[in-house]
Amino acid sequence: MKGLTIAIGIGLLLLYFVDAALKIQLFTQEMLIHSGIRFFTGFAILGIAVFYEHIIRFKNAIYLVLALVLADDIADYFRNINSFSFEVMLHSIYMLLWGAVTGYASIKSWKANR
């Protein structure tokens, strides 16, 4: 549980600095959707299925993550939302990595407490 708390705490702190450095407003509807999709994709696919359980090979997981992210970007394109800037891409990569670390830490603490 300590690892999960550290992952979430440090992740939130770094999220604040990433958003401040990139001048991204996190609490808009589009950014919350983007961040949530990227975080939970990293959480479930990378953190749990690849790094902890080894259910999916890393190469296949990267293809799956890219497909989900591309589908979200295509949906944004049809809704006339511009999410193709360099800053949003860096923010998306951070959210994927933070989700992966948090997913790994959460499943590890859950299995240890079971």
Side-chain angles (χ1 to χ4, degrees), residues 2-59:
K2 186 169 53 170
L4 178 61
T5 306
I6 290 171
I8 291 174
I10 290 175
L12 283 172
L13 182 67
L14 289 176
L15 178 64
Y16 170 76
F17 287 120
V18 166
D19 287 344
L22 298 176
K23 296 182 178 89
I24 293 177
Q25 295 179 358
L26 182 63
F27 296 110
T28 62
Q29 183 179 4
E30 287 81 20
M31 281 309 294
L32 286 174
I33 292 170
H34 276 290
S35 298
I37 288 172
R38 268 87 172 153
F39 180 82
F40 288 114
T41 300
F43 185 91
I45 295 173
L46 294 177
I48 296 173
V50 174
F51 295 131
Y52 192 81
E53 295 288 335
H54 304 292
I55 296 171
I56 304 173
R57 293 179 49 131
F58 185 70
K59 180 180 162 185

Side-chain angles (χ1 to χ4, degrees), residues 32-104:
L32 286 174
I33 292 170
H34 276 290
S35 298
I37 288 172
R38 268 87 172 153
F39 180 82
F40 288 114
T41 300
F43 185 91
I45 295 173
L46 294 177
I48 296 173
V50 174
F51 295 131
Y52 192 81
E53 295 288 335
H54 304 292
I55 296 171
I56 304 173
R57 293 179 49 131
F58 185 70
K59 180 180 162 185
N60 295 335
I62 294 298
Y63 291 145
L64 184 59
V65 166
L66 287 175
L68 290 171
V69 169
L70 184 63
D72 181 47
D73 287 337
I74 289 171
D76 285 343
Y77 176 76
F78 286 118
R79 292 187 307 164
N80 294 325
I81 297 171
N82 185 12
S83 64
F84 293 112
S85 67
F86 182 70
E87 292 85 9
V88 174
M89 288 182 198
L90 285 177
H91 176 80
S92 298
I93 291 170
Y94 172 75
M95 292 304 291
L96 275 169
L97 293 176
W98 181 35
V101 169
T102 306
Y104 179 80

